[in-house]
Amino acid sequence: MKSFDDLVAWYLDDAAPTGAAFSPAGKAFTADRENYRGRYWYYDTQDFTIDIHDMAIKKDYVESISEDLSEYVLLSSAYIISGSGEWLDPYQVIEPDSLFIFDTTLPTDRCLMHGHSIYKAVGVRFKENMMAKVGLTNRFRNKDQLMRIFYDTRTEITRPIRHLALDILHCQMDGTSADLFFNAKAHEWLAITLDAYDRHKNKRPLPAGDQVAIETVARYIQDHYAFDISQSFLEKLAAMSGTKLKACFRDRYNMSITEFTQRKRMNIAENLLLTTDMAIADIAKAVGYQSPSRFSLLYKRYKNASPSAVRKIANQ
């Protein structure tokens, strides 16, 4: 297997090495190109690579990757802190507070990144060496089966992976303590994924009618996120009792209705902060909050940054 350092040197090309933007145990680069500017950091071992993207996307563009990345890593799982775009082959939405799974063996790798957005993500790129050590290459001899573990569990494990990603993002360790820390985080990331997959196999799916009803509720919330939608209305929409609605919604989306609504509002708010000059108080109202302080509190909880900090980035 080729060195990940070789891949970074090829991909970043003229990017400038910089001081450790995150943990000094890794390597950091800055770049200012036609389509984006920002920082890339990575920590590489024989078993895995952990990396952090922190980029401001200047305009819409399509990124095509021609290099055979399977020579460097087996597969990649990344937590998207902030982002706006689409991975085209196969289609995956790149959006805040979600997991993006990258299959390095696919013949075509293309993504569309939306301009005037921030792409911030923490990922673990698992190498074949690590999968062999934990017995996965024997358990799943077919690469497609191994990929399904990560695809099928990505919505279910977003919350625990978020905590891991933020721990990595804020780590300032160096030396042996950093080695131990990142090794533990990579193995925990994989363990969370495998545990969710084992639960997923034994989970009884929602009846078809209930699933359609819950997805109707979710679509209604997505279309009317700025309104105060009552629980009683959603019960009538789904034709379910309150208890059943809450249970089925959590079973389908791995979060409560309230959290689902708040996440939608915060994602819309982030886009408005980055692409308009609307006052923060007006953005709060636009996504359903009469209190700017309440909006700011929730925004920081979900985005790990205040609205004013994001607006400052947008104005740079």
Side-chain angles (χ1 to χ4, degrees):
M1 182 166 289
K2 295 181 180 179
S3 165
F4 194 79
D5 288 332
D6 296 335
L7 174 63
V8 172
W10 166 79
Y11 182 69
L12 292 181
D13 191 16
D14 58 350
T18 186
F22 303 101
S23 164
K27 298 178 181 179
F29 297 83
T30 60
D32 191 347
R33 297 180 172 174
E34 178 184 0
N35 298 322
Y36 63 85
R37 69 173 185 274
R39 302 176 294 179
Y40 177 71
W41 173 96
Y42 73 99
Y43 173 87
D44 186 47
T45 75
Q46 291 184 337
D47 293 343
F48 61 86
T49 302
I50 293 175
D51 63 1
I52 299 172
H53 290 80
D54 188 9
M55 305 286 186
I57 309 302
K58 298 179 182 179
K59 62 182 182 179
D60 289 3
Y61 74 98
V62 174
E63 179 83 21
S64 296
I65 302 173
S66 58
E67 181 81 355
D68 182 4
L69 299 185
S70 64
E71 292 290 322
Y72 304 94
V73 295
L74 188 62
L75 55 88
S76 176
S77 174
Y79 175 73
I80 310 298
I81 299 171
S82 180
S84 180
E86 292 85 31
W87 190 264
L88 303 177
D89 306 303
Y91 186 83
Q92 287 186 77
V93 176
I94 298 172
E95 61 183 355
D97 196 42
S98 67
L99 280 179
F100 169 72
I101 309 302
F102 175 37
D103 184 348
T104 61
T105 64
L106 293 175
T108 305
D109 302 316
R110 295 187 303 137
C111 65
L112 167 64
M113 300 303 295
H114 295 164
H116 307 291
S117 66
I118 301 297
Y119 180 66
K120 194 168 188 175
V122 178
V124 179
R125 301 175 185 269
F126 296 98
K127 300 183 181 181
E128 191 168 354
N129 198 44
M130 181 170 178
M131 296 304 188
K133 284 183 178 179
V134 299
L136 286 182
T137 50
N138 289 329
R139 181 180 174 187
F140 300 97
R141 295 184 182 278
N142 186 314
K143 172 71 185 306
D144 291 337
Q145 291 179 325
L146 186 57
M147 287 302 304
R148 289 254 61 91
I149 296 175
F150 289 83
Y151 278 115
D152 291 347
T153 62
R154 64 189 188 276
T155 57
E156 185 175 345
I157 65 174
T158 299
R159 180 174 295 174
I161 292 296
R162 180 195 317 139
H163 294 300
L164 284 184
L166 294 180
D167 285 346
I168 292 169
L169 185 72
H170 296 134
C171 176
Q172 289 296 321
M173 297 178 188
D174 198 2
T176 302
S177 59
D179 295 339
L180 294 171
F181 175 84
F182 290 125
N183 185 68
K185 294 301 177 183
H187 281 84
E188 188 177 356
W189 195 301
L190 180 59
I192 288 171
T193 305
L194 293 175
D195 182 57
Y197 176 74
D198 288 337
R199 292 197 309 271
H200 185 80
K201 287 191 306 180
N202 300 319
K203 184 178 179 181
R204 292 184 63 182
L206 285 174
D210 289 347
Q211 181 158 319
V212 169
I214 291 301
E215 290 174 353
T216 298
V217 167
R219 284 196 298 271
Y220 186 88
I221 293 171
Q222 289 173 331
D223 290 341
H224 301 83
Y225 60 86
F227 296 93
D228 185 12
I229 308 171
S230 69
Q231 173 79 20
S232 60
F233 175 81
L234 294 179
E235 291 169 13
K236 292 176 183 178
L237 187 64
M240 293 178 178
S241 68
T243 300
K244 182 177 180 180
L245 172 62
K246 291 177 182 177
C248 288
F249 195 94
R250 184 175 290 278
D251 185 72
R252 173 63 179 83
Y253 292 103
N254 301 295
M255 67 184 77
S256 68
I257 293 172
T258 298
E259 183 178 352
F260 185 89
T261 305
Q262 289 175 343
R263 290 188 183 284
K264 175 65 177 180
R265 289 174 169 178
M266 295 307 119
N267 288 348
I268 296 295
E270 180 173 272
N271 183 60
L272 293 174
L273 285 165
L274 291 169
T275 61
T276 75
D277 58 0
M278 290 174 63
I280 291 175
D282 292 335
I283 291 176
K285 290 179 181 179
V287 298
Y289 297 99
Q290 296 303 312
S291 168
S293 60
R294 172 67 174 164
F295 164 71
S296 294
L297 179 67
L298 288 171
Y299 189 91
K300 189 167 185 179
R301 179 186 302 171
Y302 284 106
K303 301 298 184 181
N304 199 44
S306 67
S308 57
V310 173
R311 171 55 57 80
K312 184 176 181 181
I313 293 172
N315 291 333
Q316 289 179 349

